[in-house]
Amino acid sequence: GAVVSQHPSRVICKSGTSVKIECRSLDFQATTMFWYRQFPKQSLMLMATSNEGSKATYEQGVEKDKFLINHASLTLSTLTVTSAHPEDSSFYICSARGRDRGGGNTIYFGEGSWLTVV
Amino acid sequence: GEDVEQSLFLSVREGDSSVINCTYTDSSSTYLYWYKQEPGAGLQLLTYIFSNMDMKQDQRLTVLLNKKDKHLSLRIADTQTGDSAIYFCAENTGFQKLVFGTGTRLLVSP
């Protein structure tokens, strides 16, 4: 079963509004979560790294005021796309670092969220 | 810089073996991963290999790692139509930040 839950899976919003996407780790504590963006037929692009209780670290070229990331607990990180525009339409995926059964550090991904801005 | 490369497309017949290749650049990578992405879905972790290993086998999946050449491969034995998807390799470049390859689209025909 899924170990990282992402919600909503699909969302349509009007241009100029804000939309929040949640990423939850199930059955494990995720001190670090990551947010990626994927354009059609392209690979994933890391947007930011989120550590619990501290400010997110954004990758170069990602607007921190537009993509607000909050990691308030060890199981929840949120991405808020503020003042959304059609060019923000994309597939957003979160991931969380956890321990697998073998004790190794593994990164688990959420199911992704399709955002369409109209 | 960070750059992970994969061939874009692979077509095989059902029952054959598939080999998906990946080259990476960061020799300090600790873990290397293979993910599967089906249309419209998120990424599913298939397997991973620690950098001090040469090979890892998990049921139909075999991962080979050549650290000297920074080459990673994923072999799928007895490929099925349900294996049709995009496969991404990814390297851990530190602090668990992943850099993804461009993805290989695997098409399995009956």
Side-chain angles (χ1 to χ4, degrees), chain A residues 1-6 24-28 108-112, chain B residues 43-45:
Chain A
V3 294
V4 175
S5 173
Q6 198 170 330
R24 292 180 185 275
S25 59
L26 308 177
D27 300 327
F28 72 97
Y108 298 95
F109 280 82
E111 301 95 337
Chain B
L43 278 81
Q44 174 193 355
L45 175 65

Side-chain angles (χ1 to χ4, degrees), chain A residues 34 36 38 42-44 46 59 91 93 97 100 104-107 109-111 114, chain B residues 31 33 35 37 40-43 45 48 88 95-98 100-103 105:
Chain A
F34 306 86
Y36 294 83
Q38 185 181 28
Q42 294 188 31
S43 189
L44 289 87
L46 178 66
E59 295 298 304
F91 190 50
I93 305 177
R97 180 177 62 177
D100 65 13
N105 256 329
T106 302
I107 296 182
F109 280 82
E111 301 95 337
W114 284 102
Chain B
Y31 289 94
Y33 302 83
Y35 288 91
Q37 186 179 34
L43 278 81
L45 175 65
Y48 66 90
F88 291 96
F95 301 104
Q96 297 297 306
K97 170 183 169 181
L98 291 184
F100 286 85
T102 48
R105 184 178 295 273

Side-chain angles (χ1 to χ4, degrees), chain A:
Chain A
V3 294
V4 175
S5 173
Q6 198 170 330
H7 177 81
S9 57
R10 291 183 182 274
V11 58
I12 299 172
C13 72
K14 290 187 176 181
S15 188
T17 62
S18 296
V19 62
K20 181 185 288 186
I21 301 170
E22 292 187 348
C23 180
R24 292 180 185 275
S25 59
L26 308 177
D27 300 327
F28 72 97
Q29 294 182 333
T31 54
T32 305
M33 289 187 172
F34 306 86
W35 287 95
Y36 294 83
R37 182 175 181 177
Q38 185 181 28
F39 291 100
K41 298 183 180 179
Q42 294 188 31
S43 189
L44 289 87
M45 180 193 77
L46 178 66
M47 298 174 66
T49 302
S50 168
N51 292 298
E52 186 266 336
S54 63
K55 290 184 179 180
T57 303
Y58 289 81
E59 295 298 304
Q60 192 173 3
V62 179
E63 299 175 61
K64 59 181 68 175
D65 294 330
K66 181 166 186 60
F67 299 99
L68 300 178
I69 293 172
N70 183 282
H71 194 160
S73 77
L74 287 171
T75 59
L76 174 64
S77 176
T78 60
L79 167 68
T80 302
V81 182
T82 63
S83 186
H85 289 282
E87 57 264 29
D88 298 326
S89 299
S90 188
F91 190 50
Y92 293 87
I93 305 177
C94 72
S95 67
R97 180 177 62 177
R99 294 277 181 185
D100 65 13
R101 293 179 183 176
N105 256 329
T106 302
I107 296 182
Y108 298 95
F109 280 82
E111 301 95 337
S113 299
W114 284 102
L115 170 63
T116 302
V117 184
V118 297

Side-chain angles (χ1 to χ4, degrees), chain B residues 1 7 28-29 32 35 42 57 61-62 65-66 70 84 88 100 103-104:
Chain B
S7 53
S28 64
S29 293
L32 295 126
Y35 288 91
Q57 187 152 3
L61 305 178
T62 303
L65 174 62
N66 182 328
K70 300 191 187 69
S84 294
F88 291 96
F100 286 85
T104 299

